[in-house]
Each structure stands twice: as structure tokens, then as C-alpha cells.
Amino acid sequence: MSAYTPASEVILRHSDEFTERRVLFAGDLQDSLPGELNTALSKAYSQQYHHWQALNRLMGERAHYGLTADAQTTADCDTLVYYWPKNKPEASYQLQNLLSLLPAGSDVFIVGENRSGVRSAEHMFSDFGSLSKIDSARRCGLYHGRLETQATFDADAWWNCYMLNGLTIKTLPGVFSRDGLDAGSALLLSTLQPHTKGKVLDVGCGAGVLSAVLASHSPKVRLWLCDASATAISASQATLAANNFDGEVFASNVFSEVTARFDLILSNPPFHEGTQTSLDAAQALIRGSVKHLNSGGELRIVANAFLPYAQILDEVFGQHQVLAQTGRFKVYSAIYGHTARR
């Protein structure tokens, strides 16, 4: 969280606008600007644990993390600066939550990259006030409006679910594969054998699909699930509960909150940070996994076929196998043994 994103650079063009304001920063907070911009008060709220970790080091208790904001999150703020994410339902979920808590008369600034769909902010905000574009730079748009009518927000109304092999999968806006199983995870699932035993960690668990399917045919596994996304954490907890499976679900930036060792680590790792391609999480997963595998333990991941993970796996583990592949995806397996580099 050092260099500013294009969206933050647009905010900086208007820095004088915020010196007397009490600002809540929210949305896709990928840099340190919320902790560094000159304001009367700055607070931050994020659903992403890794964004919160970085901001917490700068802002302490003024940085908030969780599934939803509450009255404490927005207390004393008169201005919202919202960073538009690439997922429109996620933006709608977060904005309605925040606009139900901020007082009428609050100023609202929405900023985001044009390719993320930030243009739809005007229509989305129309039920609560008027919003107009005030700047365009760095392929981003900056919009300003005033909250005239508080939103109503019913968190329970945002849940969705679908059935998969007799299992109930619970999802929320912003969770990966919210509306159905993605092709990559399906390929990974096809490689899992029934009657798996031991301790299994599902990293980047999303809606908990991998763990739920594994538990359905391997009841002796012991499950741990982690993700940086608060919506994913809640969705995985709900998926396990809906199917009467046990498992520990917790927030973690890859392995940041993981202390144990496992017999199997599973993942369909992300390769985007917002709209940008980023291999950071996947590389951290591969390089860090040897510290969290038992001897003979396995890392099994699925990835887009064009991503350069084979080289990293060989560098870290000394070897790897491709268990399945299509034109788009590969499932990699690497075993932790004496050749792995700790």
C-alpha cells in the first residue's frame, strides 16, 4: 500500500475539498490515501482483510473491517468517499449499507476506473439524491452528490443460494462464483478423491464450495477455511451450516492468520486486485504453503493455464504435477518433502 491508485490520484486533485471534512473512506481501498489525506477526521471501512490490515497500521481503530458497516463505523462523519469496485452488485450492497447509516445532507464522492463500470453510480444513487460527474482523469471518473434520502438496508435480503450435487451453496454480492460453480473450481473438484482424511485448509474459500463438496464425500476430513473477503467468510460459514458440516472459518490475508500445519491445502487463488492483474496472492500462497504443510502434505491449486505457476512450484517444491487441464485451466499438485525450500 505505497503507490496511489489512479482513483486516489484523482481524489488528490481535489485535496483542498477535504481539509475541513470528516471523511469515511470505503469501497475498494487499495492504497494508503485514507490514512494520509489531510482532513478534519478520516475513517475507513473495508470488507477486505488485507486492505484493512494496511490501513489499521496507519489509522488504528479508525479503520474498520467486517461484512457490514454499523453506526460506529460512520459516527461523526459528514462525507463519504467511495471507491467503486469492479463488481456492480458488490457496490450496490456496500453503498446501500453505508447510505442507510450516514445522515441526510452528507456529501458523497464516488470514484473509480471507467472500465470498472463507475458510470452506473449515477443511476444507482438516483433514489437517494442527485450525483454528477465533476472530474475525469487517469481513465477514472469522480462523481459528487448529496444524500437527500437515507437508504434502507436489509442485510438478509442480499443472500442468494444455488444447489450443487445436492448441497446448498450460500452466497453474497462480491463472492467469487456467486451465481454458480465456476469452471476452474469444477476442474479442481474433479481431481479430489473420496475418503480424504486429515487436516485440510481451503485458502480463498469464497462461498465454501471446495470444502463443502470435499466434506460431502470425505466425512473424516477436518476443515479450516480462510479468505480476505468478509462476504466470503460469511458465505462459507452459511454454506457449512446449511449442509451440517463442521469447519473453522476465519479472515486471513493468505497465511497471515494461519498458525497450524495441514495435510492438504486447496485453493482457486485470485489473480486480480480490483481491475488489475496481480499474481501476489497466488505467489504468496505457493511460497508460504511449505510452512503450513505436514511432511508429505500437498498443495493443490487450479489456475488459468497461461499463468506462470509451474516455475514457482518447481522453485519452491522442487517438483509439481498437472493433475487435470483444459484449454483454460490447469490443476497443479505439489508435495512437501525434503526438496521443498522452507
Side-chain angles (χ1 to χ4, degrees):
M1 267 192 158
S2 52
Y4 292 140
T5 63
S8 283
E9 289 178 351
V10 175
I11 293 294
L12 280 170
R13 286 159 57 96
H14 301 263
S15 57
D16 291 346
E17 180 72 47
F18 299 100
T19 54
E20 302 300 322
R21 295 182 181 274
R22 307 174 71 83
V23 183
L24 173 65
F25 295 86
D28 191 18
L29 305 178
Q30 295 184 36
D31 60 34
S32 56
L33 185 66
E36 295 171 352
L37 190 66
N38 183 24
T39 66
L41 170 70
S42 288
K43 301 175 78 173
Y45 161 68
S46 178
Q47 290 182 337
Q48 297 295 326
Y49 191 73
H50 56 309
H51 294 168
W52 169 81
Q53 280 183 312
L55 290 170
N56 177 254
R57 289 191 287 269
L58 284 174
M59 305 174 71
E61 293 182 354
R62 291 182 290 116
H64 298 258
Y65 166 79
L67 176 62
T68 55
D70 58 20
Q72 180 183 0
T73 311
T74 60
D76 301 322
C77 293
D78 58 23
T79 301
L80 171 66
V81 174
Y82 182 78
Y83 285 69
W84 190 267
K86 67 176 182 179
N87 183 286
K88 184 176 177 180
E90 180 182 5
S92 182
Y93 179 84
Q94 293 175 353
L95 274 174
Q96 289 203 35
N97 172 210
L98 294 165
L99 297 179
S100 72
L101 297 166
L102 288 163
S106 297
D107 281 289
V108 176
F109 294 84
I110 298 178
V111 65
E113 294 189 39
N114 295 326
R115 62 176 174 166
S116 72
V118 69
R119 295 180 183 90
S120 57
E122 289 182 89
H123 175 73
M124 189 178 293
F125 191 76
S126 60
D127 289 338
F128 318 114
S130 60
L131 193 73
S132 58
K133 193 173 196 178
I134 60 171
D135 198 3
S136 181
R138 301 300 310 276
R139 297 179 181 176
C140 294
L142 175 62
Y143 298 79
H144 172 255
R146 183 157 289 139
L147 180 61
E148 297 169 7
T149 305
Q150 272 189 316
T152 56
F153 181 74
D154 178 5
D156 293 336
W158 292 85
W159 282 96
N160 186 30
C161 71
Y162 60 89
M163 301 303 296
L164 176 68
N165 300 332
L167 299 171
T168 300
I169 309 301
K170 304 283 284 185
T171 67
L172 283 166
V175 176
F176 182 64
S177 293
R178 178 189 177 214
D179 299 317
L181 184 66
D182 64 284
S185 293
L187 187 65
L188 178 55
L189 287 173
S190 74
T191 69
L192 296 178
Q193 299 298 316
H195 313 302
T196 301
K197 299 178 182 179
K199 296 171 63 177
V200 177
L201 175 65
D202 182 351
V203 179
C205 55
V209 175
L210 299 180
S211 290
V213 173
L214 183 61
S216 71
H217 60 55
S218 300
K220 291 187 177 181
V221 297
R222 290 175 288 163
L223 295 172
W224 282 258
L225 299 80
C226 65
D227 203 293
S229 164
T231 51
I233 296 300
S234 294
S236 285
Q237 290 170 334
T239 292
L240 292 183
N243 297 286
N244 297 312
F245 296 142
D246 293 324
E248 181 179 339
V249 188
F250 58 99
S252 184
N253 177 11
V254 193
F255 294 116
S256 70
E257 308 306 316
V258 177
T259 57
R261 287 183 176 268
F262 300 88
D263 301 299
L264 175 64
I265 297 176
L266 292 173
S267 187
N268 183 353
F271 65 98
H272 286 99
E273 179 69 40
T275 60
Q276 306 296 321
T277 297
S278 174
L279 305 183
D280 291 351
Q283 291 198 37
L285 170 72
I286 294 170
R287 297 186 187 283
S289 61
V290 294
K291 298 178 181 178
H292 298 287
L293 284 170
N294 291 320
S295 181
E298 177 189 3
L299 171 67
R300 190 176 301 192
I301 64 173
V302 64
N304 286 68
F306 68 87
L307 295 172
Y309 294 153
Q311 179 180 347
I312 305 170
L313 287 165
D314 287 344
E315 179 185 333
V316 174
F317 286 87
Q319 46 70 37
H320 78 276
Q321 287 183 288
V322 177
L323 301 182
Q325 67 181 88
T326 65
R328 294 179 58 202
F329 298 101
K330 290 183 180 180
V331 176
Y332 296 98
S333 169
I335 307 298
Y336 174 55
H338 67 276
T339 56
R341 298 181 183 179
R342 297 186 57 184

